[in-house]
Amino acid sequence: MRDTRNIVILTGAGISAESGLATFRGPDGLWEGYRVEDVCTPEALRRDPELVLGFYDARRAALGAVVPNAAHAALGRLDAEWKGGLLIVTQNVDDLHERGGAKRLIHIHGELLSALCRACGGREAFAGDMIDGPACASCGADALRPDIVFFGEIPYEMETIQDAVSEADLFVSIGTSGAVYPAAGFVRIARAAGAETLELNLDPSEGSHWFGESRTGPASVLVPEWVDEVLARQG
Ligand code: OAD
């Protein structure tokens, strides 16, 4: 095992499940009630803005009723205490990592608490309902859309993420099914660069075989245990 200095962590919907936010796939998953192409594509937004804006308004409002769980808090502790390089890349659009104390964080699929202006391209903090047609704070246009990376769009900060994954000594994936690219491919980049790779997930995922080690169980148990281990390595 090489010395661990640079850590990259990829998180998915499973880390927020125990806070009460639905995952995407599986029996109670969000996509069970909605077809992805009806709410998560640029075409859907053009075709039926009320449906798409209403879907994300409801998810934004739901954030007020949930709190970070022990897994988010453990990653916040790791961020505060880990002296080496660290990047938490989340596919989640909730704000539970921030509320759990994470700072070295990228939302690769965008954020519910942000708005993207279709007129000027600006991104701004946003907390209300978009269905009411609020104006962009920068250009005044009535053109705000959820700042969510829809299918067919390019995820945020890919260059920074790919550089960090290539330089990682340890790559850890938490609560993601490994079904959506490019995030699902990060483990292969990390492996090719010689990183140790670890998966923490409730069940074996589609990509489990890519990881050097897979642990199964709830994130609220596995993540605090792993954070204790990795901080002990730091001494
Ligand atoms: P998924 O719903 O595809 O996968 C969630 C994973 O979390 C599954 O493998 C579950 O087994 C696992 N899981 C559930 N509860 C857990 C728990 N308590 N502890 C640990 N693991 C648990 O969600 P993602 O992989 O995040 O994209 O989905 C990736 C992307 O697909 C999302 O970001 C979203 C969606 O399309 C966009 O909206 C752009």
Side-chain angles (χ1 to χ4, degrees):
M1 189 187 298
R2 74 191 205 190
D3 280 350
T4 306
R5 200 183 139 66
N6 295 322
I7 304 176
V8 174
I9 299 168
L10 173 68
T11 69
I15 198 168
S16 296
E18 290 166 84
S19 292
L21 295 177
T23 58
F24 290 93
R25 295 165 185 85
D28 301 320
L30 259 184
W31 296 145
E32 291 295 306
Y34 291 86
R35 296 189 321 152
V36 173
E37 54 272 29
D38 287 341
V39 290
C40 198
T41 64
E43 295 73 31
L45 184 60
R46 278 194 291 274
R47 191 174 56 236
D48 194 346
E50 286 205 354
L51 176 74
V52 176
L53 298 180
F55 173 77
Y56 289 102
D57 281 352
R59 296 187 60 206
R60 191 177 303 107
L63 293 181
V66 297
V67 292
N69 64 53
H72 300 103
L75 293 187
R77 184 161 61 91
L78 180 67
D79 194 337
E81 295 181 19
W82 183 252
K83 298 185 189 80
L86 174 75
L87 181 63
I88 301 169
V89 179
T90 187
Q91 297 167 89
N92 299 344
V93 295
D94 64 55
D95 64 338
L96 294 179
H97 279 305
E98 287 89 336
R99 287 197 260 153
K103 301 239 176 333
R104 293 179 269 180
L105 175 70
I106 290 177
H107 281 272
I108 186 172
H109 288 164
E111 297 172 62
L112 285 167
L113 294 178
S114 173
L116 172 65
C117 178
R118 279 171 285 175
C120 71
R123 301 173 72 192
E124 61 185 66
F126 183 85
D129 282 339
M130 278 187 198
I131 209 146
D132 306 332
C136 170
S138 304
C139 74
D142 171 11
L144 294 185
R145 59 161 268 187
D147 192 4
I148 303 290
V149 177
F150 290 153
F151 283 92
E153 296 181 328
I154 298 167
Y156 285 122
E157 302 199 47
M158 281 302 295
E159 212 174 302
T160 305
I161 295 168
Q162 271 163 350
D163 286 350
V165 173
S166 306
E167 285 165 19
D169 304 300
L170 174 57
F171 176 83
V172 185
S173 170
I174 303 170
T176 174
S177 60
V180 174
Y181 284 81
F186 294 160
V187 61
R188 273 173 268 176
I189 300 174
R191 262 175 79 123
E196 182 186 347
T197 54
L198 169 67
E199 176 181 61
L200 307 177
N201 209 53
L202 193 59
D203 321 293
S205 74
E206 285 181 34
S208 286
H209 58 283
W210 290 108
F211 289 84
E213 187 188 353
S214 268
R215 300 182 192 172
T216 52
S220 65
V221 174
L222 294 186
V223 179
E225 279 174 7
W226 169 72
V227 166
D228 285 345
E229 277 171 38
V230 82
L231 285 174
R233 280 193 206 181
Q234 181 170 246

